[in-house]
Amino acid sequence: MNQKDEKTWAIFISLAGIIGMTIGLISPVGNIIAVLVLWLIKREQSTFLDTEGKEALNFQITMSIAALIVNMILFFIGTLWTLTTFWWMSSSPNFSFRFVSGRNGIVWLINVIFSIIATIKASNGEVYRYPINLRLVK
């Protein structure tokens, strides 16, 4: 595979996580699936794409774990808020749903920022190591 094609596929792999997380309303692991499919297709054609794919896949797994943790924490806080508000003031429990509705915004923003940095590095032919990453796939 020539260097231009490697860079192009590395860009696709880096951006697949953002696209998958945006479409994640259908599947909560859309970001992982998108990167995994591209990495599995191209990993044997280039060591650069294999390395980029592993890094992107590990980062997307990390972002999904972070989103799950944020969801659990905010669900717990929202539930406590609803129960205490309902118990103490007899007000509507609908507030907790509004409170928790923007829960994954920070995870999505982190994903976008680091994926764009990875895309820029990939377009220059450089391997990018995400700073927030559990390296589970080796």
Side-chain angles (χ1 to χ4, degrees), residues 91-107:
S91 61
S92 173
N94 291 331
F95 179 75
S96 67
F97 296 111
R98 288 187 300 244
F99 174 70
V100 179
S101 64
R103 63 187 174 262
N104 281 332
I106 191 72
V107 175

Side-chain angles (χ1 to χ4, degrees), residues 60-110:
Q60 295 307 322
I61 291 169
T62 304
M63 290 294 98
S64 291
I65 291 170
L68 179 66
I69 291 169
V70 168
N71 281 340
M72 290 178 1
I73 290 170
L74 290 179
F75 177 77
F76 180 71
I77 290 170
T79 302
L80 283 177
W81 180 266
T82 301
L83 292 175
T84 56
T85 304
F86 184 73
W87 187 60
W88 286 101
M89 299 178 181
S90 298
S91 61
S92 173
N94 291 331
F95 179 75
S96 67
F97 296 111
R98 288 187 300 244
F99 174 70
V100 179
S101 64
R103 63 187 174 262
N104 281 332
I106 191 72
V107 175
W108 186 82
L109 184 63
I110 290 170

Side-chain angles (χ1 to χ4, degrees), residues 120-137:
I120 292 168
K121 295 285 188 179
S123 70
N124 295 327
E126 301 172 34
V127 175
Y128 180 67
R129 296 206 26 112
Y130 295 87
I132 305 170
N133 207 354
L134 299 173
R135 288 181 173 79
L136 303 172
V137 179

